[in-house]
């Protein structure tokens, strides 16, 4: 397996998620209210968080691989969230994105900063043409974030997801490579 692609932004280090991050993942993913729209039931044990670490690491070995980064503030060690690209279809030059932040790290623009670095890496290194995101319609913060990053809403996927004991509709968003450079120039 190739070396993990470490990225840096003005405030963040994006690095590989390790076993040492399991307690932070449990703290974040165990908060049912904060993670209501993540698309999975909340974690309740350290063993489940350790399994999540293994799942994220396993993405890199799949036929349609992915990469999930730990987000760490440069001035303070410890995971404050994760983000990544997954379900890479090389032939179609597309993948999906997912992300989450600890409650105390929200509202500071950290995820926008992290995703800008990850998407630039995806377009340049992976040769992507399209990055997709699926978001619950009630997740206003995530919808605003995607809009700021240049994503276009494309429609509704009816009952595409299942968590918390029921099916959920998700809104489909996409960012195209041809839109990315224009967006970056407009926000500098």
């Amino acid at each position: 397996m190739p070396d993990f692609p470490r990225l840096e932004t003005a405030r963040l280090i994006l690095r590989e998620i390790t076993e040492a991050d399991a307690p932070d993942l449990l703290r974040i993913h165990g908060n049912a209210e904060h993670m209501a729209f993540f698309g999975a039931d909340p974690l309740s044990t350290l063993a489940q968080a350790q399994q999540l670490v293994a799942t994220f690491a396993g993405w890199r070995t799949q036929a349609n691989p992915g990469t999930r980064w730990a987000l760490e503030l440069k001035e303070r060690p410890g995971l404050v969230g994760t983000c990544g690209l997954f379900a890479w279809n090389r032939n179609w030059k597309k993948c999906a994105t997912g992300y989450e932040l600890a409650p105390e790290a929200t509202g500071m623009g950290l995820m926008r900063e992290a995703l800008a670095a990850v998407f630039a890496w995806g377009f340049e290194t992976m040769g992507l043409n399209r990055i997709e995101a699926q978001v619950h319609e009630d997740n206003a913060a995530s919808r605003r974030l995607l809009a700021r990053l240049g994503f276009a809403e494309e429609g509704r996927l009816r009952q595409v997801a299942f968590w918390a004991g029921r099916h959920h509709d998700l809104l489909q968003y996409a960012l195209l490579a041809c839109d990315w450079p224009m967006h970056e120039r407009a926000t500098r």
Side-chain angles (χ1 to χ4, degrees):
M1 187 179 327
D3 288 340
F4 191 88
R6 182 181 166 100
L7 305 174
E8 288 195 28
T9 69
R11 298 179 289 171
L12 295 166
I13 296 169
L14 284 71
R15 58 164 177 79
E16 188 168 11
I17 300 168
T18 68
E19 277 283 324
D21 295 316
D24 286 330
L25 283 173
L26 177 59
R27 183 176 50 78
I28 296 168
H29 285 261
N31 183 331
E33 183 179 335
H34 183 67
M35 298 297 289
F37 302 120
F38 186 72
D41 292 328
L43 303 181
S44 57
T45 68
L46 186 58
Q48 289 173 323
Q50 291 165 334
Q51 181 56 50
L52 187 58
V53 171
T55 297
F56 289 155
W59 283 4
R60 296 186 68 220
T61 63
Q62 294 177 351
N64 296 316
T67 302
R68 191 80 172 204
W69 285 267
L71 278 58
E72 185 172 282
L73 294 167
K74 285 183 174 178
E75 77 272 358
R76 185 177 47 129
L79 180 141
V80 296
T82 76
C83 67
L85 300 170
F86 60 96
W88 182 17
N89 184 323
R90 286 180 175 93
N91 292 332
W92 289 6
K93 299 181 180 185
K94 74 172 189 98
C95 71
T97 188
Y99 44 86
E100 83 285 336
L101 276 174
E104 69 275 7
T106 61
M108 297 184 283
L110 294 173
M111 190 55 72
R112 183 176 187 276
E113 186 176 319
L115 289 175
V118 166
F119 296 163
W121 182 86
F123 288 129
E124 294 164 15
T125 305
M126 296 170 68
L128 296 174
N129 181 60
R130 177 181 171 92
I131 299 173
E132 298 178 343
Q134 296 176 352
V135 180
H136 195 281
E137 66 184 327
D138 294 336
N139 191 345
S142 188
R143 293 176 69 190
R144 283 190 305 272
L145 171 64
L146 293 174
R148 283 188 203 110
L149 287 164
F151 279 73
E153 185 178 331
E154 297 181 328
R156 176 181 297 273
L157 302 171
R158 296 172 47 224
Q159 296 188 8
V160 69
F162 185 85
W163 76 87
R166 65 183 190 90
H167 294 278
H168 297 269
D169 292 358
L170 296 178
L171 300 178
Q172 177 71 39
Y173 286 79
L175 174 66
L176 302 180
C178 62
D179 296 332
W180 182 247
M182 289 188 305
H183 174 72
E184 282 303 289
R185 280 195 299 272
T187 59
R188 284 187 187 150

